[in-house]
Amino acid sequence: MTKTPDRPQVPSLEIHDLTVAYHQKPVLWGIDISITSGRLVGIVGPNGAGKSTLIKACMGLLPLSSGWVKFFGEPFSRAATRIGYVPQRESVDWDFPVNVMDVVLMGRYGRLGLLRRPGKADREIARQCLEKVQMLPYANRQISNLSGGQQQRVFLARALAQEADLYFMDEPFAGVDAATEAAIVAVLRELRDQGKTILVVHHDLPTARQYFDDLVLLNMRLVAYGKTEDVFTAELLQKTYGGRLTILSEVASALGTAR
Amino acid sequence: MNELLPAFDFHHVVVAPWTDYLPATGAWMLMGFFVTATCGLVGNYLMLRRMALMGDAVSHSVLPGLVIAFLITGTRGTWAMFLGALLAGVATTVIVETIHRKTRVKQDASIGVTFTTLFAIGVVLVSVYSSQVDLDAECVLYGEIGNIAALDEGGIPAPLVRMGSVLIGVVLLITIFYKQLLVSSFDPGLARSLGVNTTATHYGTMIVLSIVAVSAFEAVGAILVVAMLILPGATSGLLTTRLARMHGLSVVHAALSTVLGVHLALALGSQIAPAIVVAGAGLFGLAWVFSPTQGLWLRWRKPAKPGTAPAEAS
């Protein structure tokens, strides 16, 4: 367990004893994680394990029952402009009267302050971000005319426009085509290589193993956190997913194919 | 000739409103336009935030607000009435939110519980204190634009000034907070992660809605104001896919439905506010059928095979 000794630094994300409850029922219990910069981290676990809850709680979108979260050594409110967020695609109304450019420009709002409107420089950044996800030709499209994969790319472009140092992404690969999935992975790796930290909620175990440097195995409690090759073991995955047979056979085949 | 409808008098219905009657019809049209445009702009956001029902809720809670303010202050002064109704509107919002958050009752049900209860309290108070409270039920429900003084009767009528100021206020607020309104309506999760105070945006919208509902109450009452809130946005939503244009078209819809509504009211000898709503609904129907991107005509056209277009019968 060698922890990047070359860069002793404040962790990008430090979660301490985080507990979250819905209607008095705890959904996350005493989570402790510390993540350094330049890591691409997958958050995996069964349905209802609290994966989305974890990232929402980190950003203060949900009230915490106990514990605290720090970004670059500061509370969320002071580090907000350094944090990017990609919500689940289904969380928004795609019939909303905006076009692709409008959505990507929303990524700039955090840097504009209370009253300023996005200007020429912001549009240029938005255009570059759309180019990166190969969506520039769609800039003037109404968002309801996009496929699922295209919608996800727009969300990714919006996150890029935030120019953040740490990103939370909630199931960015859900319901997208293979080309989009590959494009997203490429962008995530590029961000990682620029020294940014990316946390991705992910539900597909075989690909989780390929995509992520580190994995957070979650099932209400933190089962394990570490380098993918260290924690992607039958024992830990069984602990995470319990006795769900279909998942276990999926795990077995995932372990098998990779050998 | 026709027993059911008054005979159509071209001069009375079409010409006179712009000539002989103009001092009166002008005041009606301005008031109708101010009310419909203000409601329409606020309604755009209600619709996009899936809170169309909140318009219904807040407008109904105006009644108990007015009655309680009257019982406390003993006057029917504009400011007392205004404050009472405004507080009632805000109280409705807070109660709806509290029920929705603290229990498992969903938001639509909690709206249904809240505003009907408040309205019922208003009705009970009116009947208990009927000797002191002089409220015309018809006026409460439908309002009356025709009560406004004509333009030539010494200065601009006060209701026009009030409603005009509210319209200007709403336009200013939307211009200033466009960004926050847009992002918090489209993606509340992202908005909060960007540091936009979505709670403040929500309550701000509800306070503005209360002010609008109170100001429009006298002219259009508690029920028709809901149509004014929703029709412009619903119509323009069929015609455009950009929020800024939707605002513009809502104002156009407000102007057209008001002018058409005043003419309709004169033709039928009806009240004005309901006629405006009927005209506005007619425009909604037209937009539904003829929208360039999602109109029904597109679907009617498609199944027809090429070359078999029916010959025009004359």
Side-chain angles (χ1 to χ4, degrees):
Chain A
M1 289 272 182
T2 47
K3 287 266 172 185
T4 52
D6 47 329
R7 287 188 284 181
Q9 54 171 335
V10 188
S12 305
L13 172 64
E14 198 180 356
I15 303 172
H16 178 70
D17 189 33
L18 178 95
T19 298
V20 180
Y22 275 133
H23 291 293
Q24 275 83 44
K25 275 190 203 141
V27 283
L28 282 176
W29 265 111
I31 310 286
D32 273 290
I33 303 174
S34 175
I35 296 172
T36 52
S37 65
R39 307 299 289 176
L40 180 49
V41 184
I43 303 173
V44 296
N47 288 334
K51 303 185 294 276
S52 299
T53 306
L54 176 64
I55 63 176
K56 283 181 186 158
C58 284
M59 289 182 290
L61 303 187
L62 296 170
L64 308 186
S65 302
S66 77
W68 49 258
V69 181
K70 277 187 179 169
F71 298 87
F72 312 103
E74 291 184 307
F76 176 79
S77 55
R78 299 192 48 194
T81 53
R82 297 180 71 183
I83 299 154
Y85 176 38
V86 180
Q88 285 186 18
R89 193 157 48 85
E90 306 86 67
S91 69
V92 307
D93 171 15
W94 289 93
D95 285 329
F96 203 88
V98 284
N99 66 18
V100 168
M101 191 52 149
D102 295 331
V103 174
V104 179
L105 281 174
M106 287 178 199
R108 304 297 302 161
Y109 286 4
R111 294 177 176 269
L112 288 175
L114 192 62
L115 300 177
R116 213 147 50 91
R117 293 284 186 89
K120 233 180 186 176
D122 298 305
R123 287 178 181 279
E124 189 46 46
I125 290 167
R127 244 175 250 124
Q128 286 165 13
C129 297
L130 278 171
E131 181 75 70
K132 245 183 211 150
V133 296
Q134 292 116 45
M135 284 295 288
L136 190 54
Y138 296 85
N140 294 319
R141 266 302 172 91
Q142 149 70 10
I143 54 170
S144 60
N145 298 328
L146 302 176
S147 72
Q150 291 169 333
Q151 291 174 346
Q152 197 63 58
R153 287 176 196 222
V154 172
F155 261 21
L156 187 61
R158 182 177 72 178
L160 293 175
Q162 288 185 263
E163 297 184 318
D165 294 320
L166 183 145
Y167 285 103
F168 288 110
M169 305 196 179
D170 204 342
E171 304 242 8
F173 302 114
V176 304
D177 53 290
T180 298
E181 184 150 344
I184 295 175
V185 172
V187 170
L188 297 189
R189 291 197 167 136
E190 196 187 322
L191 289 171
R192 188 258 325 264
D193 294 341
Q194 291 166 11
K196 308 197 179 220
T197 309
I198 306 118
L199 283 96
V200 181
V201 171
H202 192 60
H203 65 278
D204 183 54
L205 278 173
T207 50
R209 181 170 213 205
Q210 299 165 25
Y211 293 162
F212 303 113
D213 305 332
D214 300 337
L215 285 179
V216 171
L217 301 184
L218 194 70
N219 191 351
M220 290 176 73
R221 294 167 192 272
L222 180 65
V223 178
Y225 164 60
K227 289 207 166 104
T228 304
E229 61 260 37
D230 297 333
V231 300
F232 202 91
T233 63
E235 189 198 349
L236 287 175
L237 290 169
Q238 182 155 15
K239 235 176 130 184
T240 312
Y241 285 88
R244 294 171 207 211
L245 288 172
T246 48
I247 298 282
L248 284 178
S249 62
E250 198 183 308
V251 170
S253 73
L255 282 167
T257 50
R259 285 295 118 118
Chain B
M1 300 197 292
N2 192 324
E3 298 283 321
L4 292 172
L5 293 174
F8 185 75
D9 176 348
F10 184 79
H11 182 80
H12 171 69
V13 173
V14 180
V15 181
W18 300 96
T19 54
D20 309 350
Y21 306 160
L22 196 57
T25 50
W28 301 345
M29 284 192 207
L30 277 177
M31 189 63 184
F33 172 69
F34 287 168
V35 169
T36 319
T38 312
C39 289
L41 286 172
V42 175
N44 279 188
Y45 289 99
L46 291 188
M47 225 177 62
L48 293 174
R49 292 164 160 259
R50 311 252 163 136
M51 296 192 312
L53 254 182
M54 276 310 289
D56 217 351
V58 167
S59 68
H60 278 79
S61 66
V62 166
L63 176 69
L66 291 179
V67 180
I68 292 169
F70 175 77
L71 291 174
I72 291 174
T73 64
T75 66
R76 282 209 292 186
T78 310
W79 283 106
M81 295 288 106
F82 185 79
L83 265 181
L86 178 60
L87 286 177
V90 175
T92 310
T93 316
V94 174
I95 297 170
V96 166
E97 281 296 298
T98 310
I99 295 179
H100 166 58
R101 285 230 180 107
K102 301 280 171 189
T103 71
R104 280 161 196 262
V105 176
K106 302 281 180 243
Q107 192 163 24
D108 52 348
S110 86
I111 292 174
V113 168
T114 309
F115 88 86
T116 47
T117 309
L118 287 173
F119 190 72
I121 291 173
V123 174
V124 167
L125 287 175
V126 169
S127 52
V128 171
Y129 296 98
S130 56
S131 54
Q132 298 159 50
V133 186
D134 171 31
L135 270 175
D136 175 6
E138 202 159 289
C139 200
V140 166
L141 294 180
Y142 315 120
E144 184 49 73
I145 289 181
N147 288 348
I148 290 173
L151 288 173
D152 55 358
E153 286 172 18
I156 306 163
L160 268 185
V161 176
R162 272 203 299 274
M163 203 65 225
S165 317
V166 175
L167 174 58
I168 292 169
V170 165
V171 170
L172 279 178
L173 283 172
I174 290 179
T175 315
I176 294 170
F177 295 112
Y178 186 75
K179 229 171 42 186
Q180 285 83 351
L181 284 166
L182 176 63
V183 71
S184 67
S185 306
F186 175 63
D187 192 341
L190 177 84
R192 268 176 285 166
S193 83
L194 288 173
V196 173
N197 189 336
T198 49
T199 314
T201 316
H202 175 68
Y203 280 102
T205 313
M206 289 300 116
I207 289 172
V208 171
L209 172 63
S210 305
I211 294 175
V212 169
V214 181
S215 324
F217 191 75
E218 212 182 333
V220 297
I223 293 180
L224 294 175
V225 72
V226 182
M228 311 283 188
L229 283 165
I230 306 306
L231 274 177
T235 308
S236 51
L238 289 170
L239 299 175
T240 180
T241 52
R242 298 295 297 284
L243 184 56
R245 270 179 229 159
M246 198 168 145
H247 289 338
L249 283 173
S250 294
V251 173
V252 172
H253 176 276
L256 280 178
S257 57
T258 306
V259 170
L260 291 173
V262 167
H263 286 293
L264 184 66
L266 285 171
L268 302 176
S270 76
Q271 281 177 307
I272 297 153
I276 291 176
V277 172
V278 170
L283 292 174
F284 173 75
L286 285 179
W288 186 9
V289 174
F290 295 108
S291 158
T293 52
Q294 43 190 316
L296 283 179
W297 68 279
L298 291 167
R299 246 178 283 165
W300 293 336
R301 205 184 48 168
K302 257 179 204 156
K305 287 169 205 141
T308 57
E312 202 73 47
S314 56

